[in-house]
Amino acid sequence: MRVQLTNDELLSTTRVVRKRLDFSRPVERDVLEECLELAVQAPTASNRQEWHWIFVTDPVKKRQLGEIYASDEGEYVGLPWPELAPEDTRAARSEAVQDSAAFLRQHMGEAPVLLVPCHLGRVDNAPIATQAALWGSMLPAVWSFFLALRTRGLGSAWTSVHLRNERRAAEVLGLDYERYTQGGLFPIAYTVGTSFKPAARRPLAEITHWNGW
Ligand SMILES: Cc1cc2nc3c(=O)[nH]c(=O)nc-3n(C[C@H](O)[C@H](O)[C@H](O)COP(=O)(O)O)c2cc1C
């Protein structure tokens, strides 16, 4: 299945999808591999390509990862959210995002597939440039993966709170925590309908700087 979108439509309508993930419809492995082939065109520092992509379809492991995600330490909605003026575009969406996030918290383990991207090395106490090299060598590919999913009628939700319990997730995945950093937990499913809208974002005038701050 292909969703016909212009490049600009693809870039402006690829959303974090939670309530519109269809947990009842299976996801074919070859579609995921197709999306990953595209995603790994993303750049990596020194062209290392030390990324690994763990797809989880095993119901027991998905349930365990879902429990880790939903544990209190990982509560996304309970994190401090920014204080926003009522006219701020983000304020209007805040309640809907939190409601949708609460839904995902209950259902993460039911997604047909969970993805945990990993990268060789740990940067827990590393200089910022080293941290940037690791995250920058993993997360651009994850977003490309989201874009590829969207063109095929699938979607995902960007989540990172399970990393508060990263070690427990590593045990579930049989991953060497001391050697590999996980980048997030991504539920993958076909979306219910394929029509998504651009989101309201902060005006460029507030966030753009020319020739300095
Ligand atoms: C680094 C990062 C971490 C995030 N972590 C979570 C999370 O743990 N749980 C969740 O439901 N959403 C999470 N989100 C999704 C954000 O809430 C979402 O990107 C934001 O609301 C904008 O969504 P939109 O692009 O669909 O408007 C995360 C997003 C990013 C970029």
Side-chain angles (χ1 to χ4, degrees):
M1 172 191 184
R2 285 303 174 106
V3 180
Q4 295 307 324
L5 298 166
T6 65
N7 296 335
D8 287 1
E9 283 166 348
L10 174 64
L11 291 170
S12 60
T13 65
T14 302
R15 302 259 70 79
V16 164
V17 187
R18 303 183 187 90
K19 288 187 174 177
R20 285 177 59 192
L21 294 175
D22 184 350
F23 290 160
S24 65
R25 183 170 165 190
V27 171
E28 308 82 355
R29 185 174 173 152
D30 57 339
V31 178
L32 297 174
E33 286 172 350
E34 235 174 71
C35 293
L36 190 57
E37 283 288 5
L38 294 166
V40 296
Q41 290 294 321
T44 55
S46 309
N47 196 22
R48 286 215 171 86
Q49 302 176 47
E50 288 290 358
W51 43 26
H52 290 266
W53 305 84
I54 308 180
F55 291 98
V56 183
T57 57
D58 176 75
V60 174
K61 290 187 180 178
K62 284 194 300 180
R63 183 176 48 71
Q64 290 170 330
L65 291 171
E67 283 167 7
I68 292 170
Y69 180 74
S71 66
D72 286 345
E73 305 96 292
E75 228 246 278
Y76 185 55
V77 177
L79 294 173
W81 286 63
E83 296 275 334
L84 300 167
E87 65 277 12
D88 190 305
T89 49
R90 292 167 291 175
R93 285 288 303 149
S94 199
E95 211 175 295
V97 170
Q98 293 189 28
D99 181 58
S100 162
F103 170 86
L104 182 62
R105 187 178 182 219
Q106 296 303 318
H107 297 283
M108 177 67 92
E110 297 163 32
V113 184
L114 296 176
L115 167 63
V116 180
C118 312
H119 198 282
L120 180 67
R122 295 215 58 96
V123 291
D124 306 48
N125 299 305
I128 200 77
T130 310
Q131 293 183 31
L134 183 138
W135 295 116
S137 296
M138 173 163 44
L139 301 185
V142 175
W143 190 248
S144 292
F145 186 75
F146 270 56
L147 296 171
L149 289 176
R150 167 99 174 100
T151 62
R152 288 156 175 79
L154 295 103
S156 185
W158 198 290
T159 85
S160 58
V161 288
H162 95 280
L163 298 174
R164 290 166 177 237
N165 279 314
E166 189 188 358
R167 202 182 277 274
R168 266 176 67 203
E171 282 163 19
V172 171
L173 297 168
L175 178 71
D176 185 346
Y177 169 86
E178 305 298 338
R179 295 189 66 219
Y180 285 92
T181 302
Q182 298 167 50
L185 179 64
F186 302 93
I188 301 166
Y190 280 94
T191 56
V192 178
T194 56
S195 172
F196 291 89
K197 293 194 195 111
R201 294 290 197 236
R202 299 176 68 187
L204 290 194
E206 276 180 21
I207 56 173
T208 312
H209 311 266
W210 295 87
N211 302 318
W213 183 262

